[in-house]
Amino acid sequence: DFGQIAAANALSDVYAMGATLFELLTSRLSAEGTNTVEVVVQIAKGEIRRHPAVLRADVPAWLDAIVAKARSAVERAGSLAQT
């Protein structure tokens, strides 16, 4: 449920890494909205779809894939389950 705040864990660490890499590569925020609540809802629902390579053509495909996977809630959970 969106109204609840969960403790930070490995999944949130992976998201933070992906968001930071996205911002370093593109000089843009990982998620954008008109207010903080809108941004948090986008992140919680996994509605962030932009890839760094869309904004910067020189980002290698392998790095683009890592950043996209780290920012995707579904793929983050799957990745950690495999390790």
Side-chain angles (χ1 to χ4, degrees), residues 6-68:
N9 60 25
L11 290 176
S12 54
D13 290 344
V14 173
Y15 173 80
M17 179 203 64
T20 300
L21 285 172
F22 181 89
E23 292 178 25
L24 288 170
L25 291 167
T26 66
S27 297
R28 288 188 156 183
L29 295 175
S30 180
E32 296 177 356
T34 57
N35 58 53
T36 304
V37 173
E38 190 176 299
V39 171
V40 172
V41 169
Q42 287 176 16
I43 293 168
K45 289 184 174 182
E47 294 177 349
I48 301 169
R49 298 286 180 239
R50 290 185 303 180
H51 287 245
V54 171
L55 300 170
R56 251 187 77 187
D58 63 332
V59 173
W62 63 267
L63 183 55
D64 186 61
I66 289 171
V67 173

